[in-house]
Structure formats: structure tokens, C-alpha cells
Amino acid sequence: MNLLFIILSMFLQHSGITIENPWIRNSSTGTNTAFFFTVNNTGKEADTLYAAYGDFAEVTEVHETYKKGEDMMGMREVPIVVIPPGSKVVFKPRDLHVMLIKLTSDVEKGMEKEVILKFRKAGEIKIKAPVKGMEAMMMKHK
Amino acid sequence: MLTLVAALFYSCSEKGEKVYSGKSFVLTDMNKKSITYPDITKGKITVVGYIFTNCPDICPLTTNNMRLLKEKFPRRDYPEIEFVSISFDPKVDTPEVLKKFAEVRDLDLNGWTFLTGEPAIISDLMHEAGIISIPGDSTVTPAGEKIIFYIHTDRISVIDRDGILVENFPGSSLDIDKAYREIIRIY
């Protein structure tokens, strides 16, 4: 019984990761799109997002958008994103996002798509994310 | 460094100057129709954005800002404003790709033209407009296709009836009200 309690405690500690406000921007077959969400780490240890997967894209990567110079923007892959304990990391437009590359089907407004986020401690977390259109880009993210 | 070097070799119209040095460019619209730009906007105010469709974040935001701005100018009340989106990745952005890009976003294409063209012509146009696009990060798909993500100028320009630059705005973070006021001022 004690052993079960210890194991459960360890699991709960490592399951301090929750995903909030997930959404995917609509896009069409053959193009790319982005998956946005907030990672909430209520645990006592940092966790690390190191990969993501969506079966409706040929490649899934974690990316960030960045500013270059006065008026240029770029995007690059980030190998890991550390989620400190007791914090939230927001993946949002013009910032961190999961990049769904070369979509194998249309991702249309109103659909729901599954994306898997892979954390070092919390493991794989499956998220069902609604697909939103242009109006979602105007939403304010905390 | 590459960005800086590229910027040095690019012209960039200042407010009050002609944007395309009086040049015309034979391009292709999303319906595969040959279009001479900027001649199609002659005598009209132009709101032009520069995009590539493989861009998952900035260019959809720029396109959405164009949409929001366009909604402030109903075609029936403001027939002398043309919205134009030009791809700086013409090898990928065929007319079909641009059409699908617009369709999936339910864009009102009455008064909004998406343009692509021969790479050399697009390059010349971007040079005249002062738009820089440099291959940045890339990804290779399982099928071996290389997808390039450009570092690029983030811009929406408002151009007056004479082809003179009124204002360059940051495309992905456009101040809609400010752009609206600028257009109303010159309409």
C-alpha cells in the first residue's frame, strides 16, 4: 500500500503538466500551420518539451518566431522548451509554436485535430485541439 | 550578417517616393490570369502585403490584418482601394497554392488579388519594393522535399493613386486603426 502511494505520488509530481487553450490555425493540404497552447506546470520540478507529433503533417517541430533587425521576421526550430515549476509557458502567434509541416489533409475551421506533446517527465500528452480561423489570431493570450 | 549585407543592396522607398520606380511587372494571379502590376491598381489606392504560404505564423497574421483592414472598406463604398498580396516564394506559391491559401481562409477576393510570377520578375519587384527574403531555417520531409522558411521583411504598404508610398506598416502587427486613418486621409 505504501509502495503504491509512493508510486502514485511520483506520478502526480511528474504529471504537473497541463495544456490549456489549445488551438490550431486553419490551413490547407501541402502547406504548413501552427499549433498554439499554454503549458501549465503546477509540479515542483521543471519539465522539458522536446518533441511533438501530429499524424496529419509530414513533419512536426517546435519553433519560435523571432524579430531580426528593424522590420524582418524569421523562424527557427528550438530543440527543447523548459517549463519551470509553478509557471506557464505560452505558445502563441509571433512567438513559440508547434509547427505542423506539409499537411497531409486540409485543416479546416471547426475540425478537431490530435497532437501529441512529448515531455521528458510528464511523457506523452495527447491534445485534441480545435481548428480556428482568422478570428482566433485576434485573441489575447495571457 | 547576411541580412545586413542584403539590406545594403536593397532599395527601399521612402514616404513620398514611387514604390516601384515606375516599373511594371508581368505577374500571374490566383486564377492563372496574366496581370501587369502595379498597372492594375492605377488610379486607385493600393494596400499591398508580401507573403510566402509556407510561413505558418507571420504571413497568416499579415493576411489576417489585410482582411481586417479590408472589412473596414466595403467595396460598394470604397471601390478605389485594391488589396494585393504578392508572394516572394514563387517556386512554391503557384496560382493554385495561392488560391487555396485564400479559399481556406474564406477571404473576400472582390478587390483583393494574390500574385506570383517568374522568379526573376518577382525578385526584381521585391528589390524595387525593398522587400528582403533570405532562406533561413529549413526542414526536409520524409519524401526528401526541402522546405525553406524565409527570414523576411514583415510589411504591408499603403500606396496612393500615383504609386507614391504613403506608409509602410509592420504586416503581422498592423495597427488597423492607424492604417485605416491613413487610407481615409488620402481617399
Side-chain angles (χ1 to χ4, degrees):
Chain A
M1 189 65 179
N2 280 347
L3 182 63
L4 181 63
F5 179 75
I6 291 167
I7 291 169
L8 272 173
S9 298
M10 287 172 65
F11 174 77
L12 288 170
Q13 193 173 31
H14 289 174
S15 300
I17 296 291
T18 52
I19 307 301
E20 301 167 353
N21 305 319
W23 67 280
I24 296 171
R25 180 181 282 148
N26 60 345
S27 198
S28 53
T29 308
T31 65
N32 312 318
T33 193
F35 170 43
F36 303 106
F37 51 93
T38 298
V39 188
N40 187 10
N41 185 358
T42 57
K44 292 179 179 174
E45 294 179 17
D47 205 343
T48 303
L49 175 69
Y50 68 95
Y53 172 74
D55 67 0
F56 53 99
E58 289 189 17
V59 182
T60 309
E61 295 175 349
V62 180
H63 278 225
E64 67 176 354
T65 299
Y66 63 96
K67 190 169 183 181
K68 182 106 178 164
E70 269 296 297
D71 62 352
M72 294 183 71
M73 300 297 284
M75 191 182 57
R76 60 192 163 211
E77 187 177 8
V78 289
I80 58 165
V81 179
V82 176
I83 319 296
S87 73
K88 288 185 178 185
V89 174
V90 183
F91 288 64
K92 62 183 186 294
R94 290 171 60 85
D95 205 320
L96 286 167
H97 55 275
V98 166
M99 174 94 170
L100 297 152
I101 300 165
K102 199 84 180 171
L103 297 174
T104 54
S105 59
D106 285 355
V107 175
E108 295 176 353
K109 193 174 159 181
M111 287 179 168
E112 197 173 64
K113 291 286 187 183
E114 186 176 277
V115 181
I116 298 172
L117 297 175
K118 299 180 180 182
F119 293 89
R120 295 246 188 263
K121 290 175 182 165
E124 294 189 359
I125 298 180
K126 286 183 184 176
I127 306 296
K128 284 195 185 296
V131 178
K132 296 184 179 179
M134 296 288 211
E135 74 287 347
M137 296 180 205
M138 304 310 293
M139 287 166 60
K140 298 291 180 192
H141 295 265
K142 291 179 183 176
Chain B
M1 186 63 180
L2 186 62
T3 312
L4 180 65
V5 171
L8 289 173
F9 288 96
Y10 265 65
S11 63
C12 184
S13 305
E14 299 290 335
K15 283 201 285 188
E17 290 180 358
K18 270 203 177 286
V19 179
Y20 305 108
S21 306
K23 284 188 179 180
S24 293
F25 306 89
V26 178
L27 304 174
T28 307
D29 75 4
M30 65 283 187
N31 297 315
K32 301 183 185 177
K33 186 179 166 191
S34 181
I35 298 286
T36 304
Y37 179 81
D39 301 21
I40 53 157
T41 63
K42 198 171 183 181
K44 294 185 177 182
I45 293 165
T46 308
V47 179
V48 56
Y50 304 92
I51 61 165
F52 74 111
T53 64
N54 266 334
C55 172
D57 194 17
I58 294 301
C59 304
L61 288 167
T62 296
T63 303
N64 186 49
N65 284 331
M66 298 263 292
R67 178 184 70 93
L68 291 170
L69 188 57
K70 188 174 187 296
E71 284 176 0
K72 287 183 170 283
F73 297 101
R75 191 74 171 156
R76 64 181 179 279
D77 300 328
Y78 298 96
E80 293 178 9
I81 303 174
E82 290 293 328
F83 286 75
V84 180
S85 293
I86 309 176
S87 169
F88 49 77
D89 188 13
K91 286 182 182 170
V92 171
D93 291 338
T94 60
E96 293 90 343
V97 168
L98 291 177
K99 188 167 189 173
K100 187 82 179 177
F101 181 84
E103 279 176 355
V104 80
R105 290 166 175 81
D106 287 328
L107 301 178
D108 172 14
L109 296 180
N110 184 17
W112 191 345
T113 307
F114 281 74
L115 294 172
T116 185
E118 291 296 322
I121 295 173
I122 289 286
S123 176
D124 190 16
L125 186 157
M126 294 300 162
H127 183 270
E128 289 296 325
I131 301 298
I132 302 168
S133 58
I134 301 163
D137 224 357
S138 63
T139 293
V140 179
T141 68
E145 182 184 352
K146 187 176 182 182
I147 296 175
I148 297 168
F149 306 118
Y150 290 91
I151 303 165
H152 61 92
T153 309
D154 176 24
R155 183 177 296 171
I156 291 172
S157 300
V158 174
I159 302 168
D160 76 7
R161 288 178 170 81
D162 298 316
I164 305 291
L165 178 66
V166 175
E167 185 74 66
N168 285 327
F169 295 97
S172 66
S173 56
L174 178 70
D175 182 336
I176 305 281
D177 291 336
K178 187 177 177 190
Y180 172 79
R181 288 194 300 273
E182 281 298 306
I183 294 169
I184 287 292
R185 185 177 63 78
I186 60 170
Y187 194 83

